[in-house]
Amino acid sequence: VGRDDATTSTSSTELSDYANPKEYEITGLTVTGTRYLDPNSLVSLSGLKVGDKIRIPGEAVGSSIRKLMDSGLLDNVELFATNVNGDKIALSFRVQERPRLYRVNFLGVKKGEQDQLKDKVKLNLGKIITNTVTKNTQMAVRKFFVDKGFLNTKVKITTVPDSTRNNATMRVLVDKGQKVKIRKITFDGRSEVEEAKVRMKMKGTKEMRFGRLFTPSKFVPKKYEEDKQKLIEFYNKLGYRDATIEEDTVINNGGKTIDIVLRINEGRKYYYRNIDFSGNYLYTDARLREVLGVNKGDVYDPEDLEKKMNGNPGQDLSSLYMDDGYLYYNAQPVEKAIEGDSIDLEIRIFEGKQATINRIVLNGNTKTSDHVVMRSIRTLPGQKFSKTNLIRTQRELATLGYFDPEKIGINPVPQNDGTVDIEYSVEEKPSDQIELSGGWGGYVGFVGTLGLTFNNFSARNIPNFSAWRPLPAGDGQRVSLRFQASGKQYQVYSLSFTEPWLGGRKPNALSVGVNHTVYRSYSFTDLYSRSTRGAVPIGSYSNTSFSIGLARQLKVPDDYFSLSHSLSYQRYDLNNLDIFYIGYRNGISNNITFNTTLSRNSIDNPQFPRSGSSFSLSGSFTPPWSAFRSVETSTPEDKYKLVEYHKWMFDASWFQTVFGKLVLNARAHMGFLGSYNKRTQIGPFERFVLGGSGLAGQGQFALAQDIIGLRGYDDRSVYTADYDRATDATSRAQGGVAYNKFVAELRYPVSLNPSATIFVLGFLEAGNNWGSYKQFNPFDLKRSAGFGARIFMPAFGLIGIDYGYGFDRIPGIKDRPSGQFHFTIGQQFR
Amino acid sequence: CSPFSKLQKNGTDDEKYKGAVQYYKKGDWYRAGILFEELIPVLKGSTESEMAQFYYAYTQYHQQQYLLSATLFKKFYETFARSDYAQESMYMYALSLYKDTPSFNLDQSNTLTATAALQDFINAYPGSQYRDDCTKMILDLRRKLERKAYEKAVLYYKTSGFNIASYKSSVIAINNFQREFPDSEYNEELAYLKFDAQYSLAKNSLETKQKERYQEAIGYYQAFVDKYPSSKFLKQAEKMYETSQKEIERLDKLEKEKQQPKPDPNRPAKVTAANE
């Protein structure tokens, strides 16, 4: 292709005398044939310089051409001698430039496919069009369609040069042809296993059938190969250790359909006969056999065996050793004898020495203090090495929320003296959250929210300005500030602080919170009349609360348990406003409660849990004021001066990976409210309100209530009591005294990137809310189903959207089933 | 328009350079930095290039951009190895790294890099005027690592209420500390703490393991007393020492009592084991 030093021209005889290379001094270097490239820069690329002495023919000539070709800018390079005078020579490169890609046109392709193709093919505009580029593009485009079942796709590429610039348009002409469907798959030689089951294993290769919607029949060579592999694995799992596909034929029926014939040699089914162990000095064969859980006569299944040996931390065979310091443990199953349908298995064990942990090394904590991380690490110096503890530590570090859970590194480094150092490496991720929204609206003034949550705060470093980055951080404390307003009408101020290890000795978490809410009611005429300077409130309501709590991690029954106690005081101040519909407009209610919560949480990852469960049982109690006063005679003002109730909440949530990345989340929630005194009704405070997104929402002063979501129904709407026939106004207005809710949710992660964790979900939900215990019936539930998506971004927290369809009627509100969208902000616990 | 932005917009390279040097001499690191940054690519190959890069590195250093200044100083002494400022530049590289080291309770990778850079400087210029400063800084960085190791050992001791096994971890961490930092000031306190941790471990152990652990604790006490005969922790330590001895006596007595009654003829092996 003209790569060789074509030292032609007049003086060819002199120059190409290979037997007598001669040394020349270069007197001139020129470049011809350039159209858009700079000749000078090409000369410098060639590595030759005027004044250089080179041998012709010789290495220098070849290498200069090679260097120019390697730049990828040129299609062809030739070197000429333009003038030879004794030992002086003038050289000239004749080059041919390559066109650059200016545009790609796909022809014969749908618009949507074009966009996908552009992603797939990765043609950067401005790239130089070489043969390789063309060829690769052609192959990639063809593969794209073949993978979609268009087996007969033809792709032709032409480059159309642009006359003005050194550009070219690439035309990709695609002839997809017909989609190739599979008319028939025949399994020859199959007798032991049901045909339907074998067919099912071919997940990506299906026969055509009317009404097959989700896995349409198409032939994708890659999937077909995978399916054949899966088929064999399936046989192996059933004990057919020797199963093979002896022959597979793909028959083309004239382009539109194909037939597949698979000839399977099933072989025989094998069973375990003897399972022996060798190399085991610590445990008897009987003990090992018991842990392994494989018995004589069981079907021979290597995959299952592998799982029982290594796949289940804490319960498999390896854990027996690896959790007791035997770091070097290694076991190999060996088929010792095969007789008839029986296999004798010998598991060769290397026990090695027991390793004790000496050092724990932590790297990568550029923001979070050592002690915050170290106290979560479950491997301690002096303990025997334990695999289970390593895995537990990984979970604990992920749960802290300061590090990227996908990047927690664990590296045991064995030392010569029988000890092992364990190195943990972490990568900090942003853990603070900001919520900011706002506007200036008409008569109300400022409307909006300002919320700040610092999850890794350091109160100790507040006076130490040099440690501010940009705030004092790293001690694992949590500070949350929030201000929300709808102008003068409604404002919320709140502040909370949590120290997870009070005193630094034990994981006793102290939390303190203060909250103040004001609601003012305006007469609408005042609001809209421009003449009145500032609207005059007709009534107001405020709620001030303070709470302090202490939570303790327990060790019994296991260390996922924790117990917490809190004391809170709330003061409701009504000023000419009957917000509770309880018969008084002016007065103060005081609510003092003591709460105890027992909970267990073993969820593996807070952002996208795949396994583990959490449950919590809590009871809240006010003092039994009614024991000290007469209930019958008191007015509402007196009665609710001191609020009285007891309340019980139960929540359970369970995560399980179903298949691949698909995770099932099953939840149950319930709550009950009661009174101490049979003669008093259950009061209006702290009742349950069910329905919708479960957000308290702006302007909904749901302060003395517990708001629980139920997708597919209107916000705060779910209520069994017939609205019109509700016996007392109190319960009608304020919500239920008992609620149940059950959820089954399937989740699929779209992105697990910590800067934006995204997952989609489908759900089935059922719940109800009862106004009295007489009506309570846990089988009478309002059902709904739907789907949605969640996105978690460290700076904003969790944001979600769901579409829910409610199947049941809500008296007074909903006449027939209907669907609706719900938006959520923040983690919904119930 | 301020004279600075006028210079930045309309000045010739020469004027800019002079202006930058002036700002630099006045201590206006920010403005000088901006001008030098713009000039460096332009000046490539010229005589001013060397000084421009050197000054630029300093402007960043003075603006506390230590990571950047470290890179710049490093680049300088690598590019101008024969410059008069090469030594100073290498020192400034190490100093920048030193200034950039984090607090003891964070990842110490940078501390190790800085220590290595300081040591490299001392090796390269043993007679340098900066030598003493470097030695001081190395000691200072070492103290950081020392503090980290100390806090770790103490943390295990502190959190042992949550997990008794941490007493043992504390003892091991202190052993490692004593080996790594034999001349540390923390050693007195840690020697006491080691005894305390071992004593507490023994106290909270099963009876079968207590004796051995008390004996080990007594060993630690003796090492502590020998080394620090007038320690302020001595009084507390003595109390625990006495208790340890009493406990060992009690356990000995208990063992004898267990032995004395009938030697069970059916299970002789067990009894011999207890004797050991």
Side-chain angles (χ1 to χ4, degrees), chain A residues 53 72 133 266 290 402 623 637 716 728:
Chain A
K53 292 206 166 101
V133 170
E266 293 181 328
E290 183 196 336
Y402 309 142
E637 281 95 329
R716 305 149 55 90
D728 58 299

Side-chain angles (χ1 to χ4, degrees), chain A residues 394-666:
Chain A
Q394 188 171 19
R395 176 200 175 265
E396 293 295 323
L397 295 183
T399 313
L400 281 178
Y402 309 142
F403 308 116
D404 182 348
E406 311 290 324
K407 285 192 187 140
I408 294 171
I410 301 178
N411 182 24
V413 188
Q415 305 292 309
N416 294 330
D417 56 353
T419 63
V420 55
D421 291 356
I422 298 176
E423 288 179 10
Y424 292 96
S425 60
V426 292
E427 201 181 292
E428 302 264 1
K429 65 164 191 181
S431 55
D432 299 335
Q433 278 155 25
I434 298 173
E435 188 189 332
L436 197 59
S437 68
W440 196 267
Y443 59 87
V444 282
F446 176 76
V447 178
T449 308
L450 167 65
L452 294 170
T453 303
F454 309 111
N455 283 308
N456 196 355
F457 195 72
S458 172
R460 180 173 60 108
N461 275 331
I462 292 175
N464 179 9
F465 277 96
S466 63
W468 287 42
R469 273 174 302 237
L471 278 161
D475 278 353
Q477 294 156 345
R478 186 189 141 99
V479 173
S480 182
L481 284 159
R482 201 177 146 85
F483 167 66
Q484 191 185 351
S486 297
K488 276 185 174 174
Q489 200 179 10
Y490 175 67
Q491 287 136 33
V492 181
Y493 310 84
S494 72
L495 168 71
S496 72
F497 173 83
T498 306
E499 160 60 66
W501 280 61
L502 185 64
R505 290 177 182 272
K506 285 179 182 180
N508 295 339
L510 171 80
S511 45
V512 184
V514 192
N515 189 309
H516 180 67
T517 307
V518 188
Y519 172 75
R520 294 186 188 88
S521 177
Y522 291 88
S523 113
F524 277 94
T525 48
D526 281 351
L527 279 171
Y528 289 114
S529 75
R530 286 165 195 249
S531 55
T532 10
R533 238 180 92 98
V536 183
I538 50 174
S540 71
Y541 155 81
S542 78
N543 170 13
T544 310
S545 68
F546 173 80
S547 74
I548 182 164
L550 197 61
R552 204 150 57 89
Q553 211 173 318
L554 299 182
K555 306 198 81 177
V556 182
D558 69 27
D559 58 3
Y560 291 115
F561 274 92
S562 62
L563 182 67
S564 68
H565 304 289
S566 69
L567 190 65
S568 67
Y569 169 69
Q570 292 204 55
R571 175 189 162 99
Y572 305 95
D573 191 347
L574 289 177
N575 189 356
N576 196 27
L577 197 64
D578 185 9
I579 203 164
F580 301 129
Y581 308 99
I582 45 176
Y584 69 97
R585 305 181 70 85
N586 284 296
I588 289 166
S589 296
N590 298 293
N591 181 359
I592 300 168
T593 37
F594 180 76
N595 173 288
T596 296
T597 303
L598 177 70
S599 60
R600 182 179 190 276
N601 181 2
S602 62
I603 284 171
D604 63 335
N605 176 340
Q607 255 90 66
F608 186 78
R610 295 183 187 89
S611 68
S613 63
S614 78
F615 88 83
S616 117
L617 177 66
S618 96
S620 305
F621 314 93
T622 63
W625 304 115
S626 60
F628 311 114
R629 65 180 183 199
S630 129
V631 261
E632 285 87 352
T633 57
S634 56
T635 62
E637 281 95 329
D638 285 342
K639 194 158 82 183
Y640 298 127
K641 190 157 271 173
L642 296 166
V643 177
E644 173 181 316
Y645 63 88
H646 58 98
K647 184 175 185 177
W648 301 83
M649 302 292 274
F650 175 76
D651 299 283
S653 177
W654 175 77
F655 293 90
Q656 172 79 47
T657 303
V658 186
F659 175 80
K661 287 194 211 163
L662 199 65
V663 173
L664 172 71
N665 174 216

Side-chain angles (χ1 to χ4, degrees), chain B residues 58-178:
Chain B
Y58 259 114
T59 60
Q60 297 308 310
Y61 172 81
H62 287 303
Q63 290 179 80
Q64 274 134 45
Q65 298 295 323
Y66 297 125
L67 209 58
L68 183 57
S69 72
T71 325
L72 292 170
F73 280 121
K74 187 172 184 219
K75 203 168 138 202
F76 182 89
Y77 78 72
E78 280 170 359
T79 323
F80 306 100
R82 285 172 272 183
S83 160
D84 294 342
Y85 299 99
Q87 188 192 134
E88 184 178 342
S89 184
M90 190 176 180
Y91 169 71
M92 287 307 295
Y93 161 67
L95 182 64
S96 299
L97 286 180
Y98 168 78
K99 295 254 183 183
D100 199 46
T101 54
S103 148
F104 74 90
N105 53 15
L106 298 173
D107 184 1
Q108 294 299 304
S109 326
N110 289 352
T111 305
L112 299 175
T113 325
T115 310
L118 289 163
Q119 193 58 55
D120 283 350
F121 178 81
I122 295 177
N123 296 346
Y125 303 100
S128 166
Q129 49 168 325
Y130 303 119
R131 194 199 149 103
D132 289 349
D133 289 345
C134 285
T135 321
K136 255 185 226 145
M137 283 190 272
I138 290 177
L139 277 176
D140 192 39
L141 293 179
R142 201 176 146 75
R143 233 167 273 138
K144 243 180 218 189
L145 298 174
E146 203 178 292
R147 175 87 190 273
K148 190 184 186 77
Y150 163 78
E151 294 286 350
K152 221 168 171 182
V154 173
L155 182 71
Y156 283 125
Y157 177 80
K158 246 175 103 174
T159 55
S160 46
F162 177 51
N163 188 347
I164 303 294
S166 300
Y167 281 126
K168 199 167 170 188
S169 310
S170 178
V171 171
I172 289 172
I174 293 170
N175 278 337
N176 287 335
F177 184 93
Q178 289 171 332

Side-chain angles (χ1 to χ4, degrees), chain A residues 17-57:
Chain A
D17 186 355
Y18 281 86
N20 287 310
K22 206 178 145 194
E23 193 158 280
Y24 293 93
E25 187 187 332
I26 302 174
T27 54
L29 271 170
T30 48
V31 177
T32 59
T34 48
R35 296 170 65 193
Y36 310 101
L37 296 171
D38 174 22
N40 290 332
S41 63
L42 284 181
V43 168
S44 67
L45 265 179
S46 76
L48 296 180
K49 254 190 241 155
V50 173
D52 281 1
K53 292 206 166 101
I54 59 165
R55 284 170 99 76
I56 296 177

Side-chain angles (χ1 to χ4, degrees), chain A residues 357-362 374 377-381 420-424, chain B residues 152 156 176:
Chain A
I357 299 168
N358 183 30
R359 261 172 240 263
I360 304 295
V361 182
L362 172 70
M374 291 303 285
I377 289 178
R378 299 300 178 108
T379 50
L380 293 174
V420 55
D421 291 356
I422 298 176
E423 288 179 10
Y424 292 96
Chain B
K152 221 168 171 182
Y156 283 125
N176 287 335

Side-chain angles (χ1 to χ4, degrees), chain B residues 216-268:
Chain B
E216 208 164 318
I218 285 173
Y220 294 156
Y221 171 78
Q222 285 161 347
F224 167 66
V225 180
D226 290 350
K227 200 155 178 205
Y228 308 102
S230 55
S231 170
K232 59 178 174 179
F233 302 108
L234 208 58
K235 221 170 162 189
Q236 287 156 277
E238 262 172 1
K239 268 189 215 152
M240 288 190 272
Y241 171 64
E242 276 164 31
T243 321
S244 302
Q245 279 183 323
K246 271 184 206 150
E247 280 293 302
I248 291 174
E249 276 168 33
R250 181 182 70 85
L251 290 162
D252 278 340
K253 229 165 105 188
L254 214 68
E255 233 168 69
K256 267 188 202 136
E257 276 170 22
K258 265 192 193 162
Q259 261 176 60
Q260 235 133 48
K262 22 94 213 210
D264 191 338
N266 296 328
R267 298 165 71 190

